[in-house]
Amino acid sequence: MVIGIFSDVHANFEALTSVLNFFSAKKVNQLLFVGDLVGYGANPNECIELIKKLNCRAIAGNHDYGVLGKTDLDYFNDQARIAIEWTAKQLDESSKTYLNSLPLDNKYDSIFMVHASPQKPSSWNYILTLEQAQTQFEFFKEQICFVGHSHCPFIIEKTHTNEVKLITNQKIIIKDNCRYLINVGSVGQPRDGDSRACVSLFDVDNKIFEMYRISYDITLTQKKIIAAGLPKFLAVRLAQGR
Ligand code: ZN
């Protein structure tokens, strides 16, 4: 049993198709999507169409809520707000229906998933420090919690003696007596300095969790963003992974 986990697609069709090809090559049995399917990128309807066709357990992110008017646009910075307003105009009815069907959190066996933080999903708070991460373990009861939102991947392990530590390896063994808070990074707009799409695989039988980076046609995605009249910065940053 192999689970593919991914987040923050942000309407980047080229990154999403590369990632889905990777998942099918790895014979993934179940997909978990951790939110922000739209916003920033030029292909919101196309990305939603792709995800809808898959057996994918998905949740909403702040951008998905923003385009539906379910989160106040004052929350967002100028570039993000412009992209959300643009996206809201592009979405067809079936795309809106799909986004509206996404819950704020979800479960899959011993896995909990929420876009921003387990503590208060609808506040869209970022988990940026070990201290902030430590608190989060009180707000889910499953062994593993996957988050997205910051577009910067991390793996945090909480031992049976309540020690909370950051793990820098890309590949880890999930230990039965530990719990995990894992940010799976971003498919469509990574911000950790690596411009490639970030995805994760969890081999449930062998208890191996691993993060991967997948190349895609960034130039084509950038051209589409500029042609759509979206802020140029949203195209530039893709090549920088920032
Ligand atoms: Zn995002």
Side-chain angles (χ1 to χ4, degrees), residues 8 10 35-36 40 62-63 115 149 151 191:
D8 294 270
H10 286 293
D36 274 1
Y40 298 134
N62 50 313
H63 287 253
H115 184 66
H149 196 39
H151 301 201
R191 293 178 194 162

Side-chain angles (χ1 to χ4, degrees), residues 105 112-149 154 156-158 162 164 179-183:
D105 55 47
F112 184 68
M113 47 199 275
V114 62
H115 184 66
S117 76
Q119 186 171 11
K120 217 173 172 214
S122 62
S123 293
W124 312 115
N125 296 324
Y126 288 94
I127 303 168
L128 298 172
T129 66
L130 205 53
E131 215 176 0
Q132 289 166 347
Q134 188 156 14
T135 317
Q136 300 305 319
F137 282 93
E138 296 165 30
F139 295 92
F140 64 97
K141 57 182 188 313
E142 292 74 14
Q143 188 191 14
I144 303 172
C145 174
F146 290 124
V147 298
H149 196 39
F154 64 67
I156 291 168
E157 185 182 79
K158 184 175 183 176
N162 287 332
V164 175
R179 295 176 73 219
Y180 298 86
L181 177 66
I182 298 175
N183 187 317

Side-chain angles (χ1 to χ4, degrees), residues 9 171 237:
V9 167
K171 183 178 180 178
R237 70 186 304 176

Side-chain angles (χ1 to χ4, degrees), residues 64-75:
D64 307 319
Y65 260 40
V67 297
L68 297 171
K70 289 162 90 168
T71 281
D72 195 332
L73 293 193
D74 289 342
Y75 168 85

